[in-house]
Amino acid sequence: MAKNRQAPATKKTVDKNDIVDSKTSKNAIVPAKKTSEEKAELAKKKRLMLTEQVLEYISQGLSQTDALSFVGVAYSTWNGWMRSDPELVADIKRAEISLKVKHLQNIQRHAENDVRASQWLLARKFPAEFGEKQTIDMNTRGDDNKVIINVIQQVQKEKHAQAIEIKHELPDEIDDEED
């Protein structure tokens, strides 16, 4: 006669970091609580991973704000990381520069077949020499004072627009007051 055989019982191995919880069941294994050193190591790894993701998105063209939002890091946290790690600020600048290099190479590659790519680059890189020249029509009928005032206002608007454009290109300043 054939005997009924049961599958051998699987034996659970207990790691030295695991604790058997006697309240739930004798065979239940509960992971041990992480030490503060282990938590710090995990936080460091998470920060490194998030930083690499943010830098990658910046190098692809996203602003810092958009990259941080996409990854889920608060700007205040990011600002703290930058204060504590000057190399991070340099990494951000390198990511932005890598985007510029990539697109400048693309423009130069296309300039071989289409002169407009070169014209576009020169006009933006050297606007005084190659930018579009604006003319102001001074031959108007009417009061000369009004013409002069209009010219001054137009120049002020252009200077203001340039100042805003330049301001947006500068990196955000890091607040060093709180450490």
Side-chain angles (χ1 to χ4, degrees):
M1 257 203 259
K3 294 183 179 177
N4 287 340
R5 294 189 180 202
Q6 291 181 335
T10 58
K11 187 175 180 181
K12 293 185 179 182
T13 59
V14 178
D15 189 341
K16 68 179 183 175
N17 293 329
D18 293 336
I19 300 170
V20 176
D21 187 357
S22 61
K23 292 180 184 174
T24 56
S25 128
K26 291 182 181 181
N27 294 329
I29 298 174
V30 178
K33 292 185 177 182
K34 293 184 178 17
T35 65
S36 61
E37 293 165 350
E38 290 171 324
K39 288 179 182 177
E41 185 63 29
L42 283 174
K44 185 178 177 182
K45 287 180 182 179
K46 183 177 179 181
R47 175 181 165 176
L48 180 62
M49 180 189 71
L50 292 171
T51 299
E52 288 175 1
Q53 288 176 341
V54 169
L55 291 172
E56 178 62 26
Y57 288 130
I58 290 171
S59 72
Q60 292 176 9
L62 285 182
S63 66
Q64 281 187 47
T65 305
D66 287 344
L68 291 169
S69 294
F70 194 70
V71 172
V73 174
Y75 189 80
S76 58
T77 301
W78 184 254
N79 207 13
W81 292 354
M82 288 191 298
R83 277 197 303 268
S84 66
D85 184 6
E87 187 62 28
L88 178 56
V89 176
D91 289 341
I92 294 166
K93 190 65 180 170
R94 280 191 284 274
E96 291 170 343
I97 291 170
S98 73
L99 174 70
K100 289 179 184 179
V101 168
K102 174 184 171 184
H103 288 284
L104 285 172
Q105 289 171 342
N106 187 35
I107 291 167
Q108 290 169 348
R109 200 170 35 254
H110 283 76
E112 294 173 11
N113 298 324
D114 188 349
V115 72
R116 290 177 296 177
S118 288
Q119 291 169 335
W120 181 90
L121 179 59
L122 289 171
R124 279 153 184 81
K125 186 70 178 165
F126 308 104
E129 296 173 72
F130 299 102
E132 291 184 23
K133 306 294 186 236
Q134 295 182 353
T135 58
I136 300 173
D137 186 8
M138 300 289 287
N139 300 320
T140 60
R141 294 182 198 150
D143 189 16
D144 288 340
N145 292 333
K146 288 182 182 179
V147 172
I148 293 171
I149 291 171
N150 287 336
V151 169
I152 292 171
Q153 288 174 341
Q154 185 177 354
V155 169
Q156 286 175 337
K157 285 179 185 178
E158 290 174 9
K159 292 290 184 188
H160 181 70
Q162 289 174 348
I164 290 173
E165 184 178 314
I166 291 170
K167 188 174 183 180
H168 286 293
E169 291 178 3
L170 295 175
D172 294 334
E173 290 187 23
I174 300 172
D175 184 17
D176 292 329
E177 294 177 10
E178 296 178 23
D179 281 335

